[in-house]
Amino acid sequence: MSERGQRPVAVVTGGRRGIGFGIASHLAAAGYDIVVTGIGGPETAEDALAELRAGGKIDGLYLKADICDVAGHGATVDAILTRFGRIDCLVNNAGMASVVRGDFLDLSPDNYDLILATNLKGTVFFTQAVVKAMLATAPDHPRSIVNITSVSAEASSPERLDYCISKAGLAAFSQGLALRLAAEGIAVFEVRPGIVRTDMTAGVTSKYDALIAGGLVPMRRWGEAGDIGAICAALASGSFAFATGTVIDADGGLSIPRL
């Protein structure tokens, strides 16, 4: 067996940048071969792959794959197995923010459908395809599914209810999946990021700078992509072998109820 085939393999959806790249980087540092997916062409991932492969210790693969395209999930999994022969960890990170923030009374069915298709339906059925592949191979490394949701899975934002609904649904999925896979030895975790510095939050930096300075986040700082990556790598390591269905609030204390 080649060295490649002996290393564990992690798949990170939406892993070219932001939180996804932070996760992929920490898993690569932990010795995983990395597959990242995204909706851009291969040229959009060249820099990310080069950084992940730096040092020559792991292999990396980018696959253009739209999480909304349920019919294409099987081909994506087949491409991963053809290259690496295994999947040990899936991090469901791909997602999108509300198309339009505003009054619920103005929410359009098309925008709602797009959010749910991306953040929930696509993730659920890609996970199904990956789990089938996991169960078809004998494990020699801890196996895990990590779903990246949001503090919005529980904390509501009336101006983006479609997003909150999608993340709450993914939280419910995490619990049910944990029960389904517990006897198979595949751990399922949910990580809920809070305010994290990424391209998606770049346009509201000044707003959140002020809120964080005012105490909204008890740790008094932004979250960074690497914060989420470090958590995911620890969860994937098998160090939490008797935990599944666990929710990790990665938000600097934002979600702790206060008086």
Side-chain angles (χ1 to χ4, degrees):
M1 181 180 290
S2 68
E3 184 180 356
R4 175 193 290 171
Q6 294 173 339
R7 288 190 295 261
V9 175
V11 180
V12 183
T13 65
R16 291 184 298 119
R17 60 182 185 174
I19 289 175
F21 184 72
I23 294 167
S25 296
H26 275 267
L27 288 167
Y32 285 78
D33 284 339
I34 303 294
V35 181
V36 296
T37 71
I39 58 175
E43 70 282 356
T44 65
E46 289 176 357
D47 291 344
L49 284 181
E51 189 168 340
L52 292 172
R53 291 171 175 153
K57 295 181 180 180
I58 66 100
D59 193 9
L61 172 67
Y62 174 74
L63 293 173
K64 181 179 179 180
D66 187 344
I67 198 72
C68 294
D69 180 19
V70 174
H73 290 171
T76 300
V77 172
D78 287 345
I80 296 167
L81 296 179
T82 297
R83 176 70 167 265
F84 295 108
R86 60 191 293 165
I87 300 173
D88 300 277
C89 174
L90 168 63
V91 182
N92 286 310
N93 167 75
M96 63 179 293
S98 294
V99 178
V100 177
R101 290 191 181 207
D103 192 337
F104 161 71
L105 299 181
D106 298 321
L107 176 63
S108 74
D110 286 346
N111 287 347
Y112 176 89
D113 287 346
L114 179 59
I115 288 289
L116 270 292
T118 303
N119 293 357
L120 187 56
K121 180 180 177 180
T123 297
V124 166
F125 285 100
F126 185 64
T127 302
Q128 182 188 69
V130 169
V131 168
K132 287 179 179 179
M134 283 182 166
L135 294 177
T137 58
D140 60 1
H141 190 276
R143 298 181 297 176
S144 59
I145 309 289
V146 182
N147 293 325
I148 307 301
T149 62
S150 166
V151 292
S152 296
E154 188 169 330
S156 189
S157 300
E159 74 280 4
R160 50 178 189 146
L161 282 180
D162 48 354
Y163 178 80
C164 296
I165 290 167
S166 71
K167 293 300 185 178
L170 193 55
F173 170 61
S174 299
Q175 295 296 295
L177 187 66
L179 290 173
R180 171 60 182 85
L181 298 179
E184 308 287 355
I186 300 175
V188 178
F189 303 102
E190 179 193 350
V191 176
R192 295 182 178 179
I195 301 169
V196 179
R197 197 188 308 276
T198 67
D199 292 348
M200 289 179 64
T201 55
V204 290
T205 297
S206 59
K207 169 188 173 181
Y208 281 115
D209 279 344
L211 290 171
I212 291 168
L216 177 65
V217 178
M219 285 189 179
R220 299 296 179 103
R221 71 170 178 87
W222 282 78
E224 303 293 343
D227 293 322
I228 311 304
I231 291 169
C232 291
L235 294 173
S237 71
S239 297
F240 303 90
F242 200 52
T244 192
T246 306
V247 178
I248 308 296
D249 292 313
D251 60 9
L254 173 64
S255 60
I256 299 173
R258 288 171 284 177
L259 291 174

